[in-house]
Amino acid sequence: GNIRLGAVEAKLEDIKPTIEQAIKTIPNLKIFLRAEGTVAHDTVRKVMAECAAGGVADIIFATYEKDEG
């Protein structure tokens, strides 16, 4: 799967420095994390670890329900 920081595609190693820069102007930064069901738990764990390493541990999980209509 792809990692996106906002609308920008990113790599795992981009997360920490991006967050470190963002919290300089948004000290109470919250992360909204959305992962498709096919994403491995280990990948989600690595993303969360990078967020924490960048200085943000307030992570909100989001899900989407597929429209059956």
Side-chain angles (χ1 to χ4, degrees):
N2 297 333
I3 295 173
R4 293 195 170 276
L5 298 173
V8 179
E9 192 163 335
K11 296 178 182 175
L12 186 64
E13 59 267 17
D14 297 330
I15 296 172
K16 180 183 173 196
T18 301
I19 290 174
E20 288 173 335
Q21 187 63 35
I23 61 175
K24 290 178 182 176
T25 56
I26 310 168
N28 296 323
L29 182 68
K30 293 182 170 112
I31 302 297
F32 291 85
L33 178 62
R34 181 177 61 98
E36 295 177 353
T38 59
V39 177
H41 178 267
D42 188 54
T43 301
V44 174
R45 184 190 58 77
K46 288 177 182 175
V47 169
M48 291 175 62
E50 287 296 308
C51 292
V56 176
D58 193 356
I59 300 173
I60 300 163
F61 289 91
T63 61
Y64 285 108
E65 290 186 26
K66 189 174 185 175
D67 185 10
E68 298 295 330

